[in-house]
Amino acid sequence: MAENKTKATAVSVAEFVEAIPDTNKRADAWALVKLMQNATGEEPKMWGPSIVGFGSYHYTYESGREGDMPLIGFSPRKPATVLYGMRAAGDAEALLARLGKCTTGKGCVYTKKLADVDRKVLEELIVESVAGSRARHGS
């Protein structure tokens, strides 16, 4: 079985965020660090080369593949910032409908800039997603 590439690392989150060349994306990253840290009570950690994650849970698939992932996190990618773990809220669809300009994937939310979304709704989505993940994974 292939080894999971997304693992917690010792890379500095501050150095990663400060190295983001786009000043708006860098500011958005710091805002997300604050929001996610407040919601989880956890210090941010780098997961792989480009995901800032908070907390963790262990998973095991029916196939036997298992590993650890952050409860919630984000990655400031060039086309959009990817928000991970946002669909774990019980009312995620209702919150996403009120969030603002974003797109969604199976488990992710993509936004070009935080100014495009309602910060209060984002904060609620983050808090509810963390609670949903902790309830589901027992962490």
Side-chain angles (χ1 to χ4, degrees):
M1 222 176 287
E3 189 175 336
N4 190 352
K5 294 178 185 174
T6 306
K7 294 181 180 179
T9 71
V11 173
S12 165
V13 170
E15 287 178 17
F16 171 76
V17 172
E18 283 303 313
I20 298 169
D22 181 293
T23 57
N24 292 326
K25 275 210 185 294
R26 188 176 328 117
D28 285 355
W30 281 123
L32 287 167
V33 166
K34 184 177 179 181
L35 281 171
M36 292 182 176
Q37 189 169 16
N38 287 341
T40 62
E42 304 272 355
E43 291 295 318
K45 289 185 181 176
M46 292 301 301
W47 287 74
S50 62
I51 297 173
V52 178
F54 299 81
S56 68
Y57 67 91
H58 188 79
Y59 66 86
T60 305
Y61 294 138
E62 286 183 26
S63 66
R65 181 179 176 94
E66 62 182 293
D68 296 298
M69 292 296 291
L71 284 173
I72 200 164
F74 70 93
S75 182
R77 308 219 186 253
K78 191 171 185 174
T81 296
V82 184
L83 307 174
Y84 298 99
M86 295 287 134
R87 309 287 299 250
D91 56 349
E93 296 308 315
L95 289 167
L96 288 167
R98 296 181 17 233
L99 185 58
K101 191 175 178 181
C102 66
T103 57
T104 59
K106 184 177 178 183
C108 304
V109 175
Y110 304 86
T111 183
K112 294 198 182 283
K113 55 188 174 189
L114 287 186
D116 289 342
V117 300
D118 183 314
R119 289 280 184 108
K120 292 290 184 194
V121 175
L122 177 60
E123 186 173 356
E124 187 177 351
L125 181 61
I126 290 169
V127 168
E128 293 296 321
S129 293
V130 168
S133 286
R134 284 183 169 149
R136 182 176 308 133
H137 301 291
S139 53

